Amino acid sequence: MVDILEIDSSSVTPRELNRKIRSLHDEYDKIIINNPGAEHNLVAGLVGNGNIEINGSAGYFAGTMLDKAHLKIHGNAGWFVGDNMTSGEIIVEGSAGDGAGQGIYGGTLVVKKGVGSRTGEIMKGGTIIIGGDSGFMSGIFMMGGRMIILGNLGADAAESILRGEIFVLGEIESLGKNAVTVDLTPEDKKSLKELLSQYEFKLSDDDYNNFTKIVAESSRPSHGLE
């Protein structure tokens, strides 16, 4: 028998809700948050192996600083979903705003539809998967990890990237400084297929042949210097 706790978040503040989740997440197989009202900072700072579902949309900083827990949002998310998460998993069934996965150290963030700009800004590790388009300066100051964009990528992609890799299935408007494209390896294609299939993205064999890979031209760029 699955032990589930349902919480009506309309009757508590986000701070009270987060305290309740932190105190109870290891006592239940799943915690379901109903009536989230797109409140900000939901499931913030949760550490441990909790399994949390938000039955609706969340506001800014959903799942910020998540460590080990699994969070699913049955709706959209605002700016900075998954900000600075260190491990675990966040799945957004809808779309998200700017800064998705900002600064993440590890774990996996999946947004099934499109996102705003600056996705994965200063990310250090982990994986970000975007099922639709991602806006300008996605991957800016990227220091590690992997980003996969199944739609189009906006202008100045991977601006000042230092490490890490970005895979894009759609069109790339323009590359930022220190960003270059390289050919995919057979290992890249195999890894992409395994990962995307896990999250129920259905792509053809031709799709996997059509990804563009973006990496850093140099790990120590000196822009504007001769």
Side-chain angles (χ1 to χ4, degrees):
M1 181 176 178
V2 179
D3 199 2
I4 298 176
L5 172 65
E6 295 197 35
I7 303 174
D8 184 350
S9 65
S10 65
S11 61
V12 294
T13 66
R15 179 173 293 180
E16 292 169 338
L17 176 65
N18 288 334
R19 285 176 177 167
K20 191 168 187 177
I21 291 170
R22 284 195 289 269
S23 67
L24 296 173
H25 70 89
D26 56 353
E27 298 181 21
Y28 293 88
D29 297 308
K30 182 184 295 185
I31 295 177
I32 299 175
I33 301 169
N34 293 316
N35 302 311
E39 287 279 6
H40 304 322
N41 304 305
L42 296 180
V43 197
L46 180 60
V47 177
N49 294 311
N51 185 5
I52 316 297
E53 294 193 13
I54 297 176
N55 195 14
S57 293
Y60 296 173
F61 290 101
T64 182
M65 295 181 288
L66 196 79
D67 183 30
K68 299 184 181 68
H70 295 258
L71 170 62
K72 179 175 281 189
I73 301 172
H74 294 282
N76 303 318
W79 289 8
F80 307 118
V81 61
D83 163 74
N84 275 287
M85 70 183 293
T86 52
S87 66
E89 179 184 70
I90 299 176
I91 300 174
V92 182
E93 294 289 351
S95 58
D98 292 351
Q102 173 183 260
I104 70 169
Y105 292 86
T108 302
L109 168 65
V110 181
V111 181
K112 292 294 185 73
K113 296 183 180 178
V115 294
S117 63
R118 303 176 81 100
T119 307
E121 179 175 359
I122 61 173
M123 69 182 288
K124 292 95 174 172
T127 298
I128 297 174
I129 303 172
I130 307 299
D133 297 341
S134 185
F136 67 88
M137 286 191 174
S138 292
I140 183 174
F141 302 127
M142 189 174 180
M143 301 178 193
R146 173 175 53 173
M147 192 185 311
I148 303 167
I149 310 296
L150 299 185
N152 299 321
L153 190 55
D156 297 323
E159 170 67 34
S160 299
I161 182 175
L162 296 177
R163 286 176 295 277
E165 47 196 23
I166 302 175
F167 299 91
V168 185
L169 182 56
E171 299 295 324
I172 301 169
E173 185 172 343
S174 64
L175 294 174
K177 296 182 183 70
N178 202 46
V180 294
T181 59
V182 296
D183 293 334
L184 268 69
T185 66
E187 290 75 19
D188 287 331
K189 295 176 186 178
K190 180 181 177 182
S191 177
L192 287 171
K193 190 167 188 176
E194 290 175 352
L195 181 60
L196 293 173
S197 298
Q198 177 184 338
Y199 290 102
E200 300 180 342
F201 290 104
K202 301 185 188 310
L203 279 66
S204 68
D205 289 339
D206 284 343
D207 287 332
Y208 287 104
N209 291 325
N210 288 328
F211 272 98
T212 300
K213 181 178 180 180
I214 304 171
V215 296
E217 183 175 24
S218 169
S219 61
R220 300 187 66 182
S222 54
H223 302 322
L225 300 180
E226 295 297 334

